[in-house]
Amino acid sequence: MLKKEDFEKFPEMTVEFDSPLSEYTFTRVGGTADFLAFPKSNTELLEVIALARETDTPITVLGNASNLIVRDGGIRGLVILLEKMAQVKIAGYTIESQAGAKLIDVAKIAQEQALTGFEFACGIPGSIGGAVFMNAGAYGGEISQVLASVKVIDEQGNISNLSADEMKFGYRHSIVRDKNLIIVSAKFELKSGDPQQIQNEMNRLNNLRASKQPLEYPSCGSVFKRPSGHFAGQLIQEAGLQGKRIGGVEVSKKHAGFMVNIDEGTASDYEALIAYVIEKVKANTGVTLEPEVRIIGEKL
């Protein structure tokens, strides 16, 4: 297991010890991480991963900690936050972005470069790595539609590139989760467009999001996958669960597909409310909802 003194090898890298992850998650819940590291380059990332593996320390990599619930017991071992790895490069119609870059920022850069195809991501509060990991999407667009290739690190510490076809994308799924890969960066192939038209579409989507989603509260975004032939939010609403609250977490009154932290909620509150909603929707409709949000870490 890693020790504090091991990080003396990385004088340029920010490292926190026994750090409360609630300060970084969009839900504002989560216990502590034993070690929380913020690498700034591929070299630092590879070196700290290699050190963790040499010492048999578990590794958890997070992008922007948005579509995520960290349990109240926290995460043992090394947690790596990639937010400082956020460089974005443009070459023709191709955008190459490090994993820690925010989707919202990349969408804005694409607009400024008159590149269209990334507008759907303009309001998604996640990172490039997280979006590729789960094939994030909104308003008819998905990462799989614009992705060209991904640079990943495997469990042996080797770097390789995967094409879009090799990613085996599905609904909110990619091969990255199956093979326990770490995303370093991604390339996207976009098309030439008119900057004003692109901005107009981004404005339209952001207005839609603001009018329909509870952006004023901490949340993990959309909680459930879309069941075949249905909409999760509609099923939850029809079951009379809007406004249902457990602890400090509530099914949003604005959009039933969201759960919001309205009063110092905990991860346990989130999990209990998710289980309750699944049970009640199943009883009401026969449909079993499946969580889209990732739930990781240890229970208290």
Side-chain angles (χ1 to χ4, degrees):
M1 190 74 169
L2 281 168
K3 299 177 182 178
K4 285 186 179 182
E5 51 266 31
D6 291 327
F7 291 94
E8 293 173 2
K9 300 176 182 178
F10 307 102
E12 302 296 320
M13 185 169 63
T14 301
V15 181
E16 298 176 5
F17 307 103
D18 296 321
S19 180
L21 291 167
S22 58
E23 294 184 2
Y24 299 98
T25 61
F26 273 56
T27 55
R28 293 295 178 257
V29 303
T32 61
D34 293 339
F35 307 102
L36 181 59
F38 298 82
K40 299 184 297 296
S41 66
N42 289 355
T43 299
E44 281 189 347
L45 176 61
L46 283 168
E47 288 178 349
V48 75
I49 287 173
L51 180 60
R53 287 178 172 152
E54 287 170 11
T55 55
D56 293 322
T57 302
I59 301 170
T60 303
V61 179
L62 304 179
N64 209 30
S66 54
N67 196 224
L68 177 76
I69 295 170
V70 176
R71 291 189 175 105
D72 302 314
I75 301 177
R76 303 287 68 77
L78 173 66
V79 176
I80 300 173
L81 268 175
L82 297 178
E83 61 181 41
K84 293 184 183 295
M85 291 180 59
Q87 188 178 49
V88 179
K89 297 179 181 178
I90 309 290
Y93 298 147
T94 301
I95 289 183
E96 181 176 7
S97 171
Q98 287 185 304
K102 295 178 181 178
L103 284 168
I104 292 170
D105 293 342
V106 176
K108 182 59 180 173
I109 290 170
Q111 182 272 331
E112 292 170 349
Q113 297 294 319
L115 296 175
T116 184
F118 216 79
E119 291 91 326
F120 73 91
C122 67
I124 299 176
S127 67
I128 289 295
V132 172
F133 177 90
M134 66 174 295
N135 189 22
Y139 301 112
E142 284 186 333
I143 286 294
S144 60
Q145 298 168 359
V146 292
L147 186 97
S149 63
V150 184
K151 184 176 292 185
V152 297
I153 302 172
D154 64 21
E155 290 185 305
Q156 287 71 48
N158 302 311
I159 291 185
S160 62
N161 288 290
L162 298 178
S163 68
D165 288 342
E166 291 173 313
M167 288 292 289
K168 306 294 183 188
F169 282 120
Y171 177 65
R172 303 298 177 259
H173 182 267
S174 75
I175 199 172
V176 173
R177 177 177 292 189
D178 299 335
K179 293 196 175 282
N180 198 28
L181 303 172
I182 296 170
I183 296 169
V184 177
S185 61
K187 288 185 179 180
F188 303 96
E189 287 294 338
L190 305 179
K191 296 178 181 179
S192 178
D194 177 78
Q196 190 56 55
Q197 290 182 4
I198 296 169
Q199 185 62 58
N200 291 344
E201 176 64 4
M202 289 167 61
N203 291 343
R204 184 183 75 85
L205 295 179
N206 280 328
N207 288 335
L208 268 176
R209 185 180 297 274
S211 67
K212 294 185 176 182
Q213 297 182 10
L215 305 181
E216 63 272 26
Y217 291 109
S219 82
C220 55
S222 180
V223 177
F224 298 102
K225 294 180 180 179
R226 182 184 300 168
S228 180
H230 302 277
F231 292 97
Q234 183 178 354
L235 295 178
I236 295 166
Q237 189 173 6
E238 290 172 354
L241 296 173
Q242 257 185 306
K244 171 63 181 177
R245 177 173 170 177
I246 292 180
V249 178
E250 179 180 272
V251 176
S252 170
K253 297 183 181 76
K254 192 172 184 180
H255 190 311
F258 287 69
M259 293 180 182
V260 290
N261 186 349
I262 62 171
D263 186 17
E264 298 183 2
T266 66
S268 297
D269 294 340
Y270 268 103
E271 288 200 85
L273 189 55
I274 288 170
Y276 182 87
V277 167
I278 291 172
E279 177 188 350
K280 293 301 180 182
V281 169
K282 173 74 171 178
N284 190 58
T285 66
V287 177
T288 301
L289 294 178
E290 182 182 351
E292 174 181 310
V293 61
R294 289 175 66 205
I295 302 174
I296 61 175
E298 299 184 358
K299 293 185 178 182
L300 282 177

